[in-house]
């Protein structure tokens, strides 16, 4: 296995040994007919490779995503052909939009049967090519080690993303020599652009001259391990900063220059100040519509400096004055070396008025409600505080996601795992168990709605079998809450098919041997949270929250980022 000595092995064993050479120790999967040879070989490597048997292939890929996002390593998913492969498509698309390094290995019919519409044959490469960094069909055992090395290099390098390997059955059983050579270069693929020194000079000059600078922080900071470089840059230039959804934990919540959350349900001050800033420094983000609102009214007054590793993002949505192509660690270091120490005291102080408005009109009502019904925000904040604001947050999608993002507090990086670009309901449970397996020493708190929870609650079986100590907080409002909110605000309260009749969630959890409790009163909440957190066993805390609570602030779709509803 040292890469020098040749030996004849089956294709399945070549695959397993290649994964070990890449440092893989955990795989999320589900066996089936066209991948049986690999699972048979995996039986002999159980002490080296931990295979986690999921209950659905979509769960397997989301678990691999959670593992990758929490650890910074490549997540690995192993499934069979046909429906096994098509069931992972949602997670592959999710990983592509959120720049998550995942390698999906899917079984396939033998090469001689390709194109015959054989049982469980599907064109996996054709389906996944548009939503992957690379999709490749392995037809010969001789190509396996090469393909695996290339797959991991592509998945983790540059802007990370998913890779799919379509693995024919004949290649799994054929014999071939095994020599593993890690991939470090692919001709015509340049994952990390070389920093343009002149661009860095121009950006530094703009920053030095700025009177009202604002930094927008994306996940690119986390992916580049550039958190400390970001802090040094912000402190030297004295620039206030706010984060995208995926970038939220790049800065601690209590970092003095951290002004919070950007976008549709973000904080009022940074959204308003986006359209007042004279220079915007965007670091590792893609200016998606949830961040910008109506592009015709987005930061038209600002000169924009865009730091990004992916040239395709430069100018895609927003005109850029100075592009700085490089990974965030390199570009932030370069800017910090060039800029002068500065102070923007009055500009930073001007955020206060909007913060006070939001505190009075939104936050106070959410965290300290006058009514008897519990709110999502107060539940999130109490859980966060009970963990010392040091837990890893995983969310599903919907109101629970936005409330968790807004009211959870972050003390270190890689502390939020959520589905950003695709907004995949059902992401939460499998992603949370994957994250917990990646960082077992951390407390992992999952916030779900009753809709998303039921999309993948079969993965409670995986949690049971593996004994994964995920803390699941189900915010039960008996609605598909975010759609219901839009129906209330924009569709004349015509609640078309968003009310939900739910099962006894505790009975479901009990069937899987998972402890839990249901609460609906404020005076029960702290004790229930303490019970949940007292040990590292899996736990389901169901909280009955107000039925028709809304997430505010809110920028309506198609509106300017400064057209903010506050209830």
């Amino acid at each position: 296995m040292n890469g020098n000595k040749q030996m004849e092995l089956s294709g399945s064993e070549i695959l397993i040994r290649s994964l070990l050479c890449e440092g893989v120790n955990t795989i999320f999967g589900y066996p089936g007919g066209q991948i049986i040879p690999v699972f048979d070989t995996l039986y002999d490597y159980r002490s080296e490779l931990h295979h986690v048997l999921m209950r659905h292939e979509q769960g397997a890929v989301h678990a691999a995503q959670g593992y990758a996002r929490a650890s910074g390593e490549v997540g690995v998913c192993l499934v069979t052909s046909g429906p096994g492969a098509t069931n992972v498509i949602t997670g592959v698309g999710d990983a592509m939009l959120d720049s998550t390094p995942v390698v999906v290995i899917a079984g396939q019919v033998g090469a001689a049967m390709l194109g015959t519409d054989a049982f469980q044959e599907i064109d996996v490469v054709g389906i996944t090519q548009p939503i992957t960094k690379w999709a490749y069909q392995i037809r010969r055992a001789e190509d396996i080690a090469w393909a695996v090395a290339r797959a991991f290099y592509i998945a983790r390098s540059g802007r990370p993303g998913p890779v799919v390997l379509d693995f024919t059955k004949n290649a799994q059983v054929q014999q071939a020599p095994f020599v593993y050579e890690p991939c470090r270069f692919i001709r015509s693929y340049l994952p990390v652009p070389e920093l343009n020194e002149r661009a860095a000079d121009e950006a530094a000059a703009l920053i030095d001259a700025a009177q009202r600078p604002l930094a927008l922080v994306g996940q690119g900071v986390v992916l580049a391990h550039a958190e400390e470089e970001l802090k040094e840059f912000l402190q030297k230039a004295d620039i206030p900063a706010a984060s995208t959804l995926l970038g939220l934990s790049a800065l601690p919540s209590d970092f003095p220059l951290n002004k919070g959350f950007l976008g549709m349900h973000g904080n009022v001050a940074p959204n308003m100040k986006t359209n007042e800033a004279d220079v915007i420094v965007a670091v590792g983000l893609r200016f998606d519509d949830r961040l910008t609102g109506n592009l015709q009214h987005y930061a038209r007054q600002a000169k924009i400096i865009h730091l990004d590793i992916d040239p395709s993002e430069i100018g895609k949505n927003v005109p850029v004055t100075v592009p700085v192509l490089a990974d965030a660690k390199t570009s932030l270091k370069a800017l910090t070396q060039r800029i002068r120490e500065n102070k923007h005291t009055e500009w930073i102080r001007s955020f206060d008025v909007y913060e006070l408005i939001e505190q009075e009109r939104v936050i106070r009502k959410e965290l300290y409600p006058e009514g008897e019904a519990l709110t999502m925000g107060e539940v999130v904040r109490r859980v966060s505080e009970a963990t010392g604001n040091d837990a890893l947050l995983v969310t599903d999608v919907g109101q629970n996601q936005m409330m968790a993002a807004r009211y959870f507090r972050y003390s270190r990086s890689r502390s939020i795992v959520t589905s950003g670009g695709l907004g995949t309901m059902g992401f939460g449970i499998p992603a949370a168990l994957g994250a917990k397996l990646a960082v077992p020493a951390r407390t992992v708190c999952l916030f779900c709605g009753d809709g998303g929870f039921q999309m993948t609650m079969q993965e409670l079986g995986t949690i049971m079998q593996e004994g994964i100590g995920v803390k699941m907080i189900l915010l039960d409002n008996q609605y598909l809450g975010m759609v219901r909110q839009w129906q209330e605000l924009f569709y004349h309260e015509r609640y078309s098919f968003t009310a939900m009749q739910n099962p006894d969630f505790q009975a479901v959890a009990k069937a899987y041997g998972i402890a839990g409790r249901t609460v609906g009163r404020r005076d029960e909440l702290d004790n229930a949270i303490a019970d949940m957190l007292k040990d590292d066993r899996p736990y389901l805390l169901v909280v009955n929250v107000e039925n028709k609570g809304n997430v505010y602030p809110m920028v309506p779709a198609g509106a300017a980022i400064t057209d903010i509803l506050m209830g």
Side-chain angles (χ1 to χ4, degrees), residues 516-529:
R517 182 173 171 184
T518 298
V519 298
R521 298 204 320 265
R522 195 160 286 115
D523 59 3
E524 302 173 312
L525 185 58
D526 287 339
N527 285 337
I529 293 169

Side-chain angles (χ1 to χ4, degrees), residues 216 280 282 285-289 291-292 298 304 306 317-318:
L216 312 184
I280 288 175
L285 53 85
R286 55 193 179 89
F287 286 110
D288 73 291
D289 60 300
L291 173 70
T292 65
Y298 181 77
I304 294 180
H306 193 174
N317 295 327
V318 173

Side-chain angles (χ1 to χ4, degrees), residues 220-363:
V221 171
V222 177
L223 296 175
H225 306 284
E227 296 88 348
E228 292 306 314
E229 286 77 9
L230 174 65
K231 291 178 190 175
E232 292 172 14
F233 168 74
L234 295 175
Q235 288 170 328
K236 186 174 182 180
D238 198 34
I239 296 179
S243 300
T244 66
L245 175 63
L246 298 187
L248 272 175
S249 67
L251 290 170
S253 298
D254 61 0
F255 183 72
L257 292 167
N258 187 354
K259 296 300 178 181
F261 180 26
L262 294 159
M264 178 176 278
H265 293 289
N267 294 114
V268 173
N271 281 338
M272 295 297 292
K273 291 298 179 179
T274 294
N275 278 12
E276 295 178 29
D278 58 357
V279 172
I280 288 175
V281 184
V283 191
L285 53 85
R286 55 193 179 89
F287 286 110
D288 73 291
D289 60 300
R290 289 296 174 100
L291 173 70
T292 65
N294 189 324
L295 287 169
Q296 296 302 313
H297 304 285
Y298 181 77
R300 307 298 288 181
Q301 78 297 334
K303 295 178 179 178
I304 294 180
I305 301 165
H306 193 174
L307 280 55
D308 210 282
I309 200 169
D310 185 353
S312 71
E313 293 295 345
I314 303 298
K316 184 179 77 175
N317 295 327
V318 173
V320 174
T321 308
V322 180
V324 182
L325 279 169
D327 79 299
K329 198 177 191 78
T330 300
S331 55
L332 286 168
K333 274 185 179 178
L335 291 186
T336 304
Q337 290 169 357
R338 286 166 167 79
I339 61 174
R340 59 181 171 82
E341 287 196 27
N342 213 329
K343 283 294 177 186
H344 297 102
T345 305
E346 290 304 315
W347 165 241
I348 293 170
R349 191 174 293 150
S350 72
F351 283 69
D352 293 351
V353 62
Y354 293 119
E355 290 174 356
L356 286 171
I357 290 170
E358 183 177 354
Q359 182 71 33
E360 290 299 318
R361 295 184 58 182
V362 178
I363 296 174

